[in-house]
Amino acid sequence: MLRHAISPSRRFTKASHDVVRHPRLSSDAKILLLYVQGLPEDTPCRPLSELAGKLGIKGRAYQKAKEQLVAHGYVHEWRTQGDRGRWITEQLVANTPLTIVQAEHLRGAPPATSPPSTHIPTVGEPAPRTVGGYARRRPQ
């Protein structure tokens, strides 16, 4: 086998052999991961789905690629509800697999094992159910 390669002087992405040769990542997952790694530092944050769409990875192909990246620790997501009730999804894409603890440390958020809130989400007191327009009688 003959090989000839000229290293580019600019506009290239260094790819880890661990990613390129990963036996369980599809080509879509690898391309998406390498595309995100090659983005300039000053690129505004965009959802992973939007970046995948620019590559032509859409629908089920995107879902499968993202599932693989999440399963192998390259992508981590956190969903939180903001003050006004809107949901916010934060995504972390790494060039090496990270555990959940490592990803949360990079995110700078408290660990997922934080105690649950003491807020009671229900409103009012329990009331008997009505059936067919009549109040249900409780046995005595």
Side-chain angles (χ1 to χ4, degrees):
M1 170 176 75
L2 297 173
R3 295 188 321 166
H4 174 70
I6 299 173
S7 297
S9 60
R10 60 186 179 95
R11 296 179 54 137
F12 68 96
T13 301
K14 286 185 91 170
S16 165
H17 286 262
D18 295 336
V19 173
V20 174
R21 296 177 181 162
H22 199 291
R24 293 203 169 101
L25 290 180
S26 68
S27 58
D28 285 342
K30 292 175 187 179
I31 289 169
L32 180 58
L33 184 58
L34 293 174
Y35 178 76
V36 172
Q37 288 177 13
L39 292 173
E41 291 291 325
D42 59 346
T43 303
C45 293
R46 296 278 179 228
L48 196 57
S49 59
E50 187 177 313
L51 297 173
K54 289 182 178 183
L55 295 170
I57 305 171
K58 299 177 184 173
R60 184 64 186 138
Y62 164 70
Q63 291 173 352
K64 286 177 66 176
K66 183 177 156 193
E67 285 172 9
Q68 291 172 358
L69 292 171
V70 168
H72 294 288
Y74 290 99
V75 173
H76 293 270
E77 283 189 323
W78 297 274
R79 292 195 73 204
T80 54
Q81 195 168 13
D83 296 337
R84 300 180 128 190
R86 296 188 74 182
W87 286 94
I88 301 165
T89 302
E90 290 181 86
Q91 295 177 319
L92 171 69
V93 180
N95 64 347
T96 59
L98 300 175
T99 65
I100 294 171
V101 174
Q102 292 170 327
E104 287 178 344
H105 178 73
L106 287 173
R107 179 180 175 225
T113 57
S114 60
S117 67
T118 57
H119 174 71
I120 301 172
T122 56
V123 177
E125 295 293 322
R129 295 184 180 187
T130 58
V131 178
Y134 297 97
R136 186 173 164 191
R137 293 181 8 169
R138 294 185 182 192
Q140 295 182 7

